[in-house]
Every structure is written in C-alpha cells, then in structure tokens.
C-alpha cells in the first residue's frame, strides 16, 4: 500500500475513533516520512485519545523540538501532562499555547 493510502486509512481510523488502529498505521507512515509534522501530530493525537500518554508526550516533544512555534502541539502537550497528573509541568505549556493562539484557548 502506498504511503499516501496508508495515511488516508489512518485518518479514516482516527475519524472513526479507532485511535489505536490509527496509531499503528501512522507509525508505518512515519517510518517512511519522518520529517512530516502533520503525520507526527496525528500520531500524537491518536496516542492521546487511546490513552497512550507516554507515547503522546514523546511524540509531542519531538514535534516541538522540530517546530517550537507549533501551538497545537504545545496545547496537546499541556493536556497530555495534565492527564498524567502533572499539572505543574503542564501549566507553562498551556500558558504558552494560549499566548501563541492570541489567548483564545
């Protein structure tokens, strides 16, 4: 299956709320396109929604290493840390995400 088709199928799984299936597909896509931030962000969201919070955190940190101005990844990292009971660690990420989005979060 072509990478583009795998991504479309992964997106279908995500939209269908089959987050673990989406994550498995996206891991393969990411192996083929490691610099694709859209794939990384959807993978992080899939991990988040399937309660794979450690994996979501790691992927979000990779995204922010590559693009520190990615405000949605910053917001997701804050939410991921909150879900792990790490509110103090989450707070600066959430504040920065809000500031980056013009205070609209």
């Amino acid at each position: 299956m072509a990478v583009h088709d795998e991504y479309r199928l992964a997106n279908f799984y995500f939209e269908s709320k089959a987050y673990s299936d989406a994550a498995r597909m996206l891991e393969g896509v990411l192996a083929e396109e490691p610099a694709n931030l859209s794939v990384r962000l959807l993978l992080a969201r899939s991990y988040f929604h399937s309660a794979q919070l450690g994996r979501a955190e790691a992927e979000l940190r990779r995204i922010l290493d590559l693009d520190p101005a990615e405000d949605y990844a910053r917001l997701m990292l804050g939410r991921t840390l909150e879900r792990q009971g790490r509110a103090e660690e989450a707070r600066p990420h959430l504040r920065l995400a809000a500031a980056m989005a013009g205070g609209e979060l």
Side-chain angles (χ1 to χ4, degrees):
M1 184 181 299
V3 173
H4 176 69
D5 293 331
E6 288 180 33
Y7 180 78
R8 287 182 54 199
L9 183 56
N11 201 42
F12 171 78
Y13 284 142
F14 184 86
E15 294 299 324
S16 300
K17 299 184 183 196
Y19 302 117
S20 293
D21 294 329
R24 277 192 292 279
M25 293 292 301
L26 290 163
E27 288 165 356
V29 173
L30 193 58
E32 295 293 320
E33 295 188 23
N36 190 322
L37 291 182
S38 296
V39 173
R40 284 192 181 279
L41 190 54
L42 188 57
L43 177 58
R45 292 175 64 204
S46 297
Y47 286 150
F48 179 84
H49 288 297
S50 61
Q52 298 178 63
L53 301 178
R55 287 180 169 183
E57 178 185 350
E59 201 57 53
L60 290 162
R61 289 188 187 278
R62 280 187 205 101
I63 292 166
L64 291 169
D65 284 345
L66 296 168
D67 184 2
E70 174 52 64
D71 60 327
Y72 189 71
R74 182 82 51 195
L75 172 66
M76 288 280 310
L77 178 58
R79 297 286 184 236
T80 300
L81 293 169
E82 281 182 331
R83 276 186 71 185
Q84 294 178 77
R86 296 159 58 191
E88 284 297 314
E89 203 175 333
R91 194 167 295 119
H93 295 288
L94 296 173
R95 284 185 186 145
L96 185 53
M100 293 167 79
E104 297 291 325
L105 298 179

